[in-house]
Amino acid sequence: MDESKKSEVTDFSIEKITNEIIERFDIDKKIIRDRLDTFTSTFKTEFHDQTPFEHGQSAVIVWALLDTPLILFGMNMHSAALMEIHSILERFVIRHVVEILTKPKNQDISTKIIERLTLSDLAPILQNLNVLDNEDLKFIEKLSKLRNGVAHKNAKVISNVANSGKLIPVLDIESVVNKIDFIPIVIGTIKIFNKLMNNTMKSKSE
């Protein structure tokens, strides 16, 4: 992946961003164009009522953080995409909780403690701080179950989350996960990132 190409983007329209993501990876555009077009359409629908600033923020999140999960989704590699998007979200939630709960002089110690927690552990903390809501927690719980099911090759977990409880063989995990509609996962992640960023801006202005 050519990270230097990120600096070339000045137009943060979602179409330009998805085009640039494709260019950033050395693969055939035709493989992923249709799938990313579907994501682009859903993005516009989900965020149509945002202000120009909010819409730009959502688009920047895609550009700066979610390019790899989207390429993996475009290549129909949902297991890898789930692992990646969970990891990205967990990393930023850890950072956000540290910023909220600790004073600068204690951040090194606090970070080491909080880094031992998982995304599922941290989400209720942010709910108690009125950063996230019940729907966010449900989303994170589902994402974490999918991630753990894939990571540990747990057919029972994947069956419950992605196959209506119908038990699948371990060897079928990948094919079942690849049938998951990944776009709502990306959209849900963007919404949580927006809440984290808005809360940071709010805290700095107080």
Side-chain angles (χ1 to χ4, degrees):
M1 187 181 89
D2 187 356
E3 288 288 345
S4 65
K5 290 188 177 181
K6 281 191 175 184
S7 62
E8 299 171 7
V9 177
T10 56
D11 182 352
F12 285 104
S13 68
I14 193 64
E15 291 91 349
K16 294 274 181 140
I17 288 170
T18 51
N19 284 335
E20 190 269 339
I21 287 173
I22 293 172
E23 293 289 346
R24 203 183 300 163
F25 291 79
D26 186 21
I27 56 178
D28 188 346
K29 295 178 186 178
K30 294 180 181 179
I31 296 175
I32 59 175
R33 180 70 271 169
D34 288 346
R35 291 170 71 81
L36 287 192
D37 280 347
T38 303
F39 163 73
T40 298
S41 177
T42 305
F43 179 97
K44 288 181 174 181
T45 300
E46 286 288 335
F47 300 114
H48 75 280
D49 59 347
Q50 288 186 321
T51 66
F53 175 82
E54 291 169 339
H55 195 275
Q57 178 174 280
S58 297
V60 168
I61 289 167
V62 175
W63 173 75
L65 300 173
L66 302 181
D67 55 344
T68 300
L70 280 172
I71 285 294
L72 292 168
F73 157 69
M75 297 172 69
N76 203 34
M77 298 172 64
H78 288 194
S79 291
L82 283 166
M83 297 288 289
E84 183 70 15
I85 204 165
H86 182 278
S87 175
I88 293 167
L89 184 57
E90 185 172 66
R91 188 164 65 248
F92 275 80
V93 165
I94 287 171
R95 180 188 300 178
H96 198 74
V97 171
V98 169
E99 289 176 352
I100 292 174
L101 297 183
T102 64
K103 297 179 180 179
K105 66 178 182 179
N106 296 325
Q107 282 192 357
D108 287 344
I109 296 172
S110 300
T111 299
K112 289 178 181 178
I113 295 171
I114 292 173
E115 280 180 344
R116 296 177 181 273
L117 303 177
T118 66
L119 180 58
S120 295
D121 296 326
L122 295 167
I125 296 174
L126 291 178
Q127 183 188 34
N128 290 335
L129 293 168
N130 297 317
V131 178
L132 301 181
D133 58 28
N134 285 331
E135 290 303 310
D136 299 321
L137 262 62
K138 289 177 184 177
F139 169 80
I140 287 172
E141 181 182 6
K142 181 177 180 180
L143 175 60
S144 295
K145 284 181 178 179
L146 284 169
R147 180 265 175 203
N148 293 336
V150 169
H152 302 296
K153 301 297 182 187
N154 190 321
K156 184 176 180 180
V157 170
I158 296 299
S159 297
N160 289 335
V161 180
N163 201 45
S164 302
K166 298 176 182 177
L167 192 60
I168 59 172
V170 172
L171 294 178
D172 288 348
I173 288 176
E174 192 74 24
S175 62
V176 170
V177 172
N178 281 342
K179 293 175 183 176
I180 293 171
D181 188 356
F182 190 70
I183 290 176
I185 293 174
V186 180
I187 296 297
T189 300
I190 294 170
K191 289 179 177 178
I192 290 175
F193 271 123
N194 275 325
K195 290 185 177 183
L196 299 181
M197 294 172 73
N198 291 340
N199 188 63
T200 295
M201 288 186 287
K202 179 183 175 184
S203 297
K204 289 181 178 178
S205 66
E206 291 177 348

